[in-house]
Amino acid sequence: MKLDKELVAASSAPLILSLLVEGDSYGYAIIQRVRELSGGKIQWTDGMLYPVLHWLEENDQIRGRWEKAESGRRRRYYSILPKGKKALDDQREQWSLVNATLTKIWRPQYA
Amino acid sequence: MPNLENQIAAWRESMAGKVPAETIEELEAHLRETIQNHLRRKATESEAFQLALAQLGSVPQLAGEFQKVENNLWWPVKAAAVGGSFLALLSLFFVIAFLTSRPAGGLLATHVFAVTVGYVSVLLMGGIAVCAVGQRAFSELSASQSRSVSKAFFRFGVIASAFTAVAIALGMIWAKISWGSSWSWDLKEIGGLSVLLWSIFFLGAQRTRSVSFHGLVLYGLTGNIIVALAWFAPTTFGLGNYNPGDYIAMSLIILPSLIALGAGLLPAAWLSKKFTAE
């Protein structure tokens, strides 16, 4: 099953914020983790992650910092900020509401 | 056959100018990790590069997505850009209308147009600075708002420097032809020179990062005062035709700028407490 483009786009910010709540991370690792958690079903075009990261940073939801990786090259790590945690709480409520509503509607149909 | 480093360098070159240098570095780090991943799965260097590139997305696609983030301008900056463009077009229209009726006055008309564009650019920087200080009374500017202000400061600073320099040069030529001397240190000339030096110092401070963002905002406020004096003080204080409107215009620009300058010098935390307390 492949997720619709719109759904992938809408879920990208809450997915990123949720992963950053677990701990600081960087682009490549975030993509790998999403792939792993979704069993490879959520497939982002890798480059599309970065505009979302930058948008979240522009809106003070996350903060980026450069660190030296094992390879000696710089890598940009991101950490979640209080505004990001608040945005994630809002998103969680909204997604839960949509999920609960759809579950109620679909239950009799698939029972 | 191109080696991996050459291929990455060519990709980096294709991205240059389309997204900021730091973003290219971040994307390159990602590209390299993906390539390593493919190499571990026994792909050849060329295959690994092509696969990683396909995963990352094409250059136009990436540039388009980043453009959406980059174009997120703060509303005072948008207002200054729209207002500035409108005023510049209006001034140009007057110059063309003037030249149609008096073709011989081309030099003076172009000088007036250049002065107007140069001085208005500084006033727009000052207007943005007033908004930035005002915003600070409620909360610090976000990263995107600060970036937006910095970009506007740079662009208006360049326009102000270029147009004021042209205006001074044309004014000198006109004065030489009309009065026999290109420079006489009168108030208008000193005003023009002050605006030019102010904008050059502003750009220098911004480019060399020798002044903090807040320092630049405060410096931007002083631009209002310099321009108000350069534009209106000569007539107010006896050079040329006295116009009481000039005194009012000068006061209307200088007073709010001084108030904003005072507010900008207060600690942000104290200001924010005062304005956001219930």
Side-chain angles (χ1 to χ4, degrees):
Chain A
M1 180 187 68
K2 199 171 168 243
L3 285 186
D4 282 347
K5 213 169 88 179
E6 289 77 14
L7 194 55
V8 172
S11 61
S12 57
L15 276 170
I16 293 167
L17 292 173
S18 304
L19 289 176
L20 292 179
V21 165
E22 292 179 351
D24 296 359
S25 193
Y26 58 98
Y28 184 80
I30 291 172
I31 284 183
Q32 296 304 316
R33 185 92 177 106
V34 169
R35 217 164 267 168
E36 178 195 319
L37 288 170
S38 69
K41 284 175 183 160
I42 298 183
Q43 294 276 356
W44 286 342
T45 306
D46 293 6
M48 295 303 112
L49 168 77
Y50 291 93
V52 183
L53 282 169
H54 288 204
W55 182 85
L56 290 169
E57 194 179 6
E58 294 271 326
N59 286 279
D60 294 319
Q61 295 188 23
I62 61 173
R63 181 186 292 136
R65 66 177 189 282
W66 287 101
E67 273 184 26
K68 210 165 218 177
E70 313 84 62
S71 62
R73 289 186 175 276
R74 292 204 308 165
R75 184 186 273 165
R76 193 157 171 83
Y77 278 85
Y78 292 91
S79 46
I80 192 162
L81 294 175
K83 206 173 159 188
K85 285 183 184 156
K86 173 145 191 340
L88 179 59
D89 287 342
D90 292 345
Q91 288 273 330
R92 191 180 288 136
E93 268 184 44
Q94 291 176 38
W95 282 93
S96 301
L97 178 67
V98 171
N99 181 40
T101 309
L102 287 174
T103 306
K104 276 182 198 162
I105 296 167
W106 289 337
R107 194 175 292 144
Q109 195 179 341
Y110 292 102
Chain B
M1 185 185 271
N3 73 22
L4 187 57
E5 285 308 315
N6 287 342
Q7 285 177 307
I8 293 174
W11 169 83
R12 207 169 40 225
E13 210 166 293
S14 69
M15 289 293 287
K18 296 188 178 76
V19 294
E22 275 210 331
T23 304
I24 297 177
E25 190 180 349
E26 188 177 18
L27 291 172
E28 186 185 332
H30 185 105
L31 189 68
R32 285 180 183 277
E33 293 206 49
T34 316
I35 289 170
Q36 287 308 316
N37 195 17
H38 288 300
L39 288 175
R40 277 193 293 274
R41 292 179 188 165
K42 310 288 179 215
T44 64
E45 280 193 351
S46 193
E47 283 167 354
F49 176 77
Q50 290 306 330
L51 286 167
L53 207 57
Q55 268 174 259
L56 190 64
S58 69
V59 173
Q61 200 182 2
L62 284 169
E65 288 299 320
F66 278 106
Q67 195 99 41
K68 289 178 196 165
V69 181
E70 288 291 307
N71 285 344
N72 187 15
L73 291 178
W74 190 34
W75 71 264
V77 173
K78 272 186 199 164
V82 172
S85 308
F86 175 73
L87 285 174
L89 283 174
L90 198 66
S91 311
L92 194 62
F93 171 76
F94 278 116
V95 169
I96 294 167
F98 180 83
L99 288 178
T100 316
S101 59
R102 289 171 60 186
L107 194 61
L108 191 60
T110 315
H111 160 78
V112 171
F113 171 71
V115 169
T116 307
V117 174
Y119 285 13
V120 166
S121 299
V122 177
L123 289 178
L124 290 172
M125 290 164 83
I128 294 169
V130 170
C131 294
V133 170
Q135 168 69 39
R136 190 171 163 265
F138 300 96
S139 66
E140 283 290 350
L141 265 74
S142 69
S144 94
Q145 288 170 337
S146 306
R147 235 189 303 271
S148 194
V149 170
S150 296
K151 270 188 205 163
F153 275 173
F154 177 69
R155 287 176 189 166
F156 283 125
V158 169
I159 294 170
S161 309
F163 277 82
T164 310
V166 169
I168 290 174
L170 292 177
M172 286 169 76
I173 297 168
W174 181 83
K176 179 81 181 162
I177 296 167
S178 307
W179 298 333
S181 162
S182 53
W183 194 264
S184 53
W185 292 105
D186 71 25
L187 283 177
K188 283 188 179 179
E189 289 167 348
I190 294 169
L193 189 62
S194 305
V195 173
L196 178 64
L197 290 176
W198 180 92
S199 31
I200 290 170
F201 280 129
F202 187 96
L203 287 176
Q206 193 187 34
R207 288 292 100 180
T208 56
R209 296 172 194 267
S210 52
V211 178
S212 68
F213 174 75
H214 186 58
L216 283 177
V217 168
L218 297 182
Y219 189 66
L221 291 170
T222 64
N224 277 347
I225 299 167
I226 303 272
V227 166
L229 289 172
W231 219 339
F232 304 114
T235 46
T236 305
F237 298 115
L239 192 75
N241 299 327
Y242 176 73
N243 177 3
D246 287 351
Y247 178 74
I248 296 166
M250 191 167 73
S251 310
L252 282 176
I253 295 170
I254 292 180
L255 281 177
S257 303
L258 284 175
I259 293 168
L261 201 55
L265 289 170
L266 294 170
W270 182 85
L271 259 183
S272 167
K273 216 171 161 184
K274 279 272 169 203
F275 281 87
T276 53
E278 303 221 342

